[in-house]
Amino acid sequence: MLDLTLTDITDILGGRLVLTDSAVAAGWAPESVVSGTVDTDSRLIGEGDVFVAKRGESDDGHRFVPNAVEAGAALVIVERESDVAVPQIVVPDSVDALGAFATEVVRRVRALGRLKIVGVTGSNGKTTTKNLLRSILERVGETVAPRDSFNNEVGAPLTMLKLTESTRFLVAEMGASGKGEITRLVRMAKPDVGVVLMVGLAHAGEFGGIETTLITKTEMVKDLEPTDVAVLNVDDHRVASMADKTAARVVWFGLGERAEVRATDIDASAIGTSFTLHLPDGSSSPVRFGVLGEHHVMNALAAAASAHELGVPLDVIVAGLESVTRAERWRMEVMGGGDGVVVINDAYNASPDSMASALKTLAQIARPDQRTVAVLGEMSELGPYAVEEHDRIGRLVVRLNIARLYVVGEGARALHLAANHEGSWDGEAVFAATADEAFDLIQADAREGDVILVKSSNSAGLRFLGDRLAEAHS
C-alpha cells in the first residue's frame, strides 16, 4: 500500500479517527504513517497491517479486532469502536469504505503516469487468465494481481490496495452475481484493457438468466474510452455483440479466421496443450502450454492479446504462458500417478460450460489403454436451469464414452438419472450420497491406468475428495 497518514486515510474514508488513551500512549498521532497490507481476515494480518472489520452473513469481523491487534495491526477500520491500543477509523459501512480506499489509491498511483490496468471478466476462465497475465506482465514490471478468486466488492479492492508507487500493471479480476457489480469495480479501477472471455450459465440462477448475465458482463466494456482496448472473444456470439456497446478499440481473440489473436495447430495431451500463437502484427510462435485442457487455450489467447496491446514482446508473452503449469489450485490440477492412477482435480468451481469442457478434455487426453472415470458433483447457482443442465451433462458423459461415472450428492441426482437414461448402462453410472461413500466405491474399483476427473462446484466440496484420491494414488 502507499504510505499514508492516519489523517489521509480518515479523509479518504470519510470516517472518524479514534485514538484511545492507550493508542496515544503507544505513540500514535494523526500524522502517523501507515503502509501495511490491508485485509479483512485477521489470520492474515502481520506487523504494520490494516484490518478491516467486515460484517458477514454468518459472522462479524469486529469479533476479531483484538486478534488483529495482537497480530500486529497498525490500524483497524471499524463500524463501531473497540478498546484497543492502535488507531481506529470508524465508518458507516466497512465495505463501502474499502471501495473508497481502493478508488483513491488507484487514482494516486495512476497520477504518477506509469500504471496500466487490465480488467478481466467472463462466466468462466477469469482466474486462469488472471494468472497467465500475471506471469507475462511481471516479466516486464511490478505487477499486482489477485490471490485465489478475489474478484468481488471485497476481494477486488483488497487487491487494488496492494499498489505501490512503482507498480506498473494491475490485473483486476472482476466477477459479479448481479447487475451493477462490475460497473462498481470498473469505477474503482477503470481498465486500459477490458477483457471478456465468455458469457455462459455460471451463476445464471443468481443473475436471473443468460440475457441478464450478458448485460452484466457488458459492464466491463461499456465505460471504456476510445483510447482503451476491449479484448473480446469472437467465437462467443454474446461476447462479440459487445463490440457495438463500447467506444474502445476492439481486439478479437479466438480460433477462427476472424480472430486477430488466434491459435492454430492445437494438440492437447495429458501433459498440456501445444499450439501456434498468432498476433495481429503477423508474428507467430509455437507455445508449449502446460495447463491441461484445450479450452484453456482461449484463456491463453486473451492473456496474449492483452499483453500485446500493452507492448509486451512476443517472446516474453510465450515465456510467460509456458511458465504456468496449472490454472490454479483445484483447477485441472493433475495429481496422483504414483501407482498408475492419475487424478485431475477440477472441483473448485463448475458451470455447464466448464463441466462440458473438462469432460471433453478427459475423453481427449486418455490413451487407448487408459480407462476414463468421471467423479461429478452438483453445479450450483443454476436456479431454474439446474435440472435441465445436470441432465445435459449426464447425457454428455455417455456420448463421450466415459467408461465410469460416479455422481456425488443429491444436488447432482439428475445427472445420474440422465446418464442411465441415455446409455441404458449396467452399473457404469454409480450414485453416492456423500464424498466418503464415493471414495470407498471409487477405491474399490480403481485400476492401474485410470484417469479420474473430479469436478463440481466449490459448495459441493469434492475438491477435498480429489485431494484424498490423489493422496491414495501418490
Side-chain angles (χ1 to χ4, degrees):
M1 191 182 78
L2 298 179
D3 291 349
L4 296 168
T5 68
L6 293 173
T7 298
D8 286 336
I9 299 173
T10 303
D11 290 343
I12 291 169
L13 303 187
R16 176 171 55 89
L17 177 63
V18 176
L19 294 172
T20 61
D21 291 342
S22 55
V24 172
W28 290 103
E31 61 273 14
S32 298
V33 173
V34 176
S35 60
T37 299
V38 182
D39 216 303
T40 58
D41 188 338
S42 62
R43 296 168 297 182
L44 300 178
I45 294 296
E47 196 68 34
D49 289 345
V50 178
F51 176 63
V52 180
K54 179 180 73 70
R55 287 177 290 112
E57 292 182 4
S58 58
D59 211 340
D60 186 345
H62 291 81
R63 291 201 308 117
F64 303 101
V65 168
N67 303 66
V69 173
E70 184 178 352
L75 169 66
V76 294
I77 298 171
V78 295
E79 295 175 7
R80 58 178 185 269
E81 292 183 33
S82 299
D83 185 16
V84 291
V86 299
Q88 48 195 312
I89 299 175
V90 183
V91 296
D93 186 297
S94 58
V95 174
D96 288 345
L98 190 61
F101 201 178
T103 301
E104 178 60 15
V105 166
V106 171
R107 187 196 68 77
R108 293 189 183 203
V109 177
R110 262 204 187 279
L112 299 175
R114 285 174 48 86
L115 179 66
K116 293 293 183 181
I117 299 175
V118 183
V120 181
T121 197
S123 297
N124 296 301
K126 294 184 295 297
T127 300
T128 302
T129 304
K130 170 261 298 184
N131 288 338
L132 294 172
L133 271 168
R134 172 167 49 199
S135 176
I136 295 168
L137 296 177
E138 66 187 5
R139 297 166 185 272
V140 178
E142 181 181 312
T143 300
V144 170
R147 71 173 187 257
D148 301 326
S149 293
F150 270 36
N151 60 26
N152 62 10
E153 62 181 0
V154 174
L158 289 177
T159 300
M160 297 170 196
L161 287 166
K162 295 183 184 296
L163 294 176
T164 69
E165 292 182 352
S166 57
T167 302
R168 186 166 174 188
F169 301 107
L170 167 64
V171 181
E173 183 180 338
M174 297 182 177
S177 58
K179 288 182 181 179
E181 294 183 15
I182 292 176
T183 294
R184 178 178 179 177
L185 299 178
V186 165
R187 290 176 181 172
M188 289 182 197
K190 188 185 73 62
D192 299 283
V193 178
V195 182
V196 186
L197 300 166
M198 66 173 298
V199 175
L201 282 172
H203 314 294
E206 291 184 348
F207 281 110
I210 193 71
E211 292 309 315
T212 305
T213 304
L214 172 58
I215 292 169
T216 302
K217 298 303 182 184
T218 303
E219 294 173 13
M220 170 61 76
V221 299
K222 71 178 184 180
D223 288 342
L224 297 184
E225 300 171 6
T227 53
D228 299 326
V229 178
V231 174
L232 302 180
N233 180 354
V234 72
D235 297 341
D236 184 315
H237 71 277
R238 294 188 177 91
V239 176
S241 72
M242 297 178 188
D244 297 331
K245 301 173 181 65
T246 182
R249 177 169 58 86
V250 173
V251 173
W252 300 109
F253 71 92
L255 302 182
E257 290 295 327
R258 289 181 58 203
E260 298 165 90
V261 177
R262 62 191 179 96
T264 60
D265 309 316
I266 299 173
D267 183 21
S269 71
I271 59 172
T273 308
S274 63
F275 63 94
T276 301
L277 171 64
H278 301 266
L279 295 180
D281 59 9
S283 61
S284 63
S285 174
V287 178
R288 297 184 63 83
F289 190 42
V291 179
L292 189 65
E294 185 176 314
H295 54 290
H296 283 304
V297 171
M298 292 296 283
N299 301 326
L301 293 177
S306 303
H308 178 70
E309 289 302 319
L310 293 171
V312 180
L314 175 59
D315 61 333
V316 177
I317 292 173
V318 172
L321 294 177
E322 292 187 336
S323 71
V324 178
T325 57
R326 69 177 184 186
E328 181 68 85
R329 179 79 167 100
W330 297 310
R331 287 178 169 88
M332 297 302 285
E333 184 175 10
V334 181
M335 310 169 74
D339 59 356
V341 176
V342 175
V343 177
I344 303 170
N345 196 346
D346 192 29
Y348 187 83
N349 228 328
S351 69
D353 294 310
S354 68
M355 186 77 84
S357 294
L359 287 166
K360 290 173 184 176
T361 297
L362 174 64
Q364 186 178 36
I365 66 173
R367 300 190 308 267
D369 61 328
Q370 292 181 304
R371 188 176 65 157
T372 52
V373 180
V375 183
L376 307 181
E378 182 180 9
M379 299 178 288
S380 62
E381 300 176 359
L382 290 177
Y385 303 95
V387 172
E388 174 186 349
E389 292 302 321
H390 282 89
D391 182 282
R392 184 170 69 86
I393 293 299
R395 296 178 188 278
L396 179 64
V397 170
V398 178
R399 293 167 186 170
L400 290 172
N401 202 30
I402 303 300
R404 196 80 165 157
L405 170 65
Y406 296 90
V407 179
V408 187
E410 196 61 40
R413 173 77 74 170
L415 197 160
H416 176 249
L417 295 174
N420 279 314
H421 289 157
E422 180 72 15
S424 299
W425 286 1
D426 181 20
E428 290 92 340
V430 179
F431 179 81
T434 67
D436 285 342
E437 181 183 346
F439 178 81
D440 292 339
L441 291 168
I442 296 165
Q443 285 298 94
D445 187 54
R447 64 183 70 165
E448 184 177 352
D450 281 355
V451 182
I452 303 174
L453 169 71
V454 184
K455 179 74 172 171
S456 74
S457 285
N458 199 352
S459 58
L462 295 199
R463 62 194 186 282
F464 303 118
L465 171 61
D467 284 347
R468 190 177 175 191
L469 287 168
E471 184 177 354
H473 296 286
S474 61

